[in-house]
Amino acid sequence: MSAFFFALTEQTMQNDQGLAAVLRQHEGRVLQDWTGALQEVRRHGSPGGVDRDTHAQARGFLAAFAEAIRCSSDEDLAGAEWDDVRATLAELSRDRAMAGFSPSETATFVFSLKKPLFAALREALADDPKRLSDELWTVSIMLDKLGLFCIEAYTKGREEVIERQHQELLDLSTPVVELWEGILALPLIGTLDSERTQIVMESLLNAIVAKEATVAILDITGVPTVDTLVAQHLMKTVAAARLMGAECIISGIRPQIAQTIVHLGVSLDGVITKATLAGALQTALRKTGQSVQRAVPAKVGS
């Protein structure tokens, strides 16, 4: 127990004599020099200095980094003492990923701290070249690893952004429109795969319930090709709509698509198909007992 305590005390003394002591004594100057370096490389900035968010991030990171250095000399940065440092960098990296920064611009937040720290260490340990060399090497390794951590966190954040944008595009590409009372239309554009079919089905079924619709028009004018898989996806959507009490009409059957369906032997039995959305709407109006009549223009002078 005493040997362990002695080793721990020795480590603490070494930390207090090296980088931890430098950060404690010169933290203000290091922060000033660091924010100056960030100003030179920041993506959008003004000559007057870094923005408040960047300055606050730098101050928070430096405080967490100094505390971690004081409590731990683990170069792998794996201990609980480094949790605040990792959390700060993870949040910063995600924010920059969503803001459109590049990976290098994000990692530079950490790498730009090297020069101010090196300068402070050289001044503090000028009389001890060996200790200076050891401290510079340790700091360099730590900041390199933290910079790589930034890139990893940035990548995860960017993947989240891409996934969210992908989901938003899928939602936008499957709008359900109420054409008339009790009549819905779902214009499909692009490839209809399994993932998108699920979204189409959910959107349509929710709209059928919300609008109390009895007829739904699936318009495939914007679908480039219809193969067996696409036809199966359409039939699944039709079957699901029927279970909800709505009949489906498929419109946008172009000559090329009709020929393809015949050649593939795809059966659309029981499903009404129309060449145009206008034709499908006319059929839907008849099925719902509604009609649209052309207004007779009033005679001039009558």
Side-chain angles (χ1 to χ4, degrees):
M1 186 71 177
S2 59
F4 172 77
F5 179 77
F6 176 77
L8 182 62
T9 304
E10 183 179 10
Q11 174 182 317
T12 303
M13 291 177 59
Q14 290 177 351
N15 288 347
D16 287 341
Q17 294 171 359
L19 180 60
V22 170
L23 285 174
R24 185 172 59 251
Q25 296 171 8
H26 305 288
E27 184 174 351
R29 192 184 72 183
V30 170
L31 178 62
Q32 181 179 358
D33 292 344
W34 184 23
T35 52
L38 287 173
Q39 172 59 36
E40 296 178 1
V41 298
R42 64 183 294 237
R43 187 169 185 267
H44 296 294
S46 59
V50 296
D51 59 88
R52 292 181 180 178
D53 289 341
T54 303
H55 190 278
Q57 289 168 343
R59 184 173 60 251
F61 172 81
L62 191 59
F65 182 71
E67 179 63 19
I69 288 293
R70 187 184 67 81
C71 298
S72 171
S73 60
D74 181 13
E75 295 183 2
D76 292 332
L77 316 182
E81 298 85 355
W82 293 91
D83 287 348
D84 289 344
V85 176
R86 289 192 293 266
T88 300
L89 290 181
E91 181 180 0
L92 177 142
S93 300
R94 284 193 297 267
D95 291 344
R96 293 198 168 198
M98 289 186 286
F101 284 75
S102 69
S104 60
E105 289 169 333
T106 303
T108 298
F109 175 85
V110 173
F111 293 146
S112 59
L113 179 58
K114 282 188 177 184
K115 186 175 181 180
L117 284 181
F118 286 2
L121 284 170
R122 281 195 296 267
E123 180 179 339
L125 301 175
D127 297 334
D128 191 345
K130 184 180 184 304
R131 184 68 188 278
L132 174 60
S133 176
D134 292 342
E135 290 290 341
L136 291 177
W137 177 249
T138 300
V139 171
S140 182
I141 291 177
M142 287 182 173
L143 293 182
D144 286 346
K145 289 182 177 180
L146 291 175
L148 293 176
F149 177 84
C150 271
I151 295 177
E152 293 175 358
Y154 173 93
T155 302
K156 291 181 181 179
R158 194 61 185 162
E159 289 174 352
E160 293 174 0
V161 172
I162 293 173
E163 179 61 27
R164 187 181 71 249
Q165 291 175 340
H166 175 65
Q167 187 62 44
E168 291 173 352
L169 287 175
L170 285 177
D171 294 339
L172 290 173
S173 65
T174 55
V176 181
V177 182
E178 186 177 21
L179 294 181
W180 213 267
E181 184 178 353
I183 302 174
L184 301 177
L186 179 57
L188 300 174
I189 301 174
T191 304
L192 193 63
D193 55 17
S194 299
E195 179 183 4
R196 192 169 175 215
T197 299
Q198 185 65 30
I199 296 175
V200 166
M201 193 179 299
E202 291 177 359
S203 300
L204 181 60
L205 297 182
N206 289 333
I208 288 174
V209 174
K211 303 296 182 180
E212 298 181 351
T214 56
V215 179
I217 301 172
L218 300 178
D219 184 71
I220 62 172
T221 304
V223 177
T225 58
V226 174
D227 54 18
T228 305
L229 187 60
V230 171
Q232 289 176 352
H233 291 326
L234 289 174
M235 294 306 295
K236 288 179 181 178
T237 304
V238 171
R242 283 176 176 171
L243 290 175
M244 299 299 296
E247 184 175 0
C248 284
I249 301 172
I250 299 178
S251 65
I253 304 294
R254 304 184 299 277
Q256 299 88 340
I257 290 181
Q259 292 177 17
T260 301
I261 291 176
V262 171
H263 289 320
L264 292 174
V266 176
S267 176
L268 296 179
D269 292 341
V271 180
I272 300 174
T273 60
K274 292 294 179 180
T276 64
L277 180 59
L281 178 57
Q282 290 176 353
T283 302
L285 288 170
R286 286 197 301 269
K287 284 186 169 294
T288 56
Q290 304 175 84
S291 63
V292 178
Q293 296 180 350
R294 187 184 300 275
V296 178
K299 295 183 180 179
V300 179
S302 61

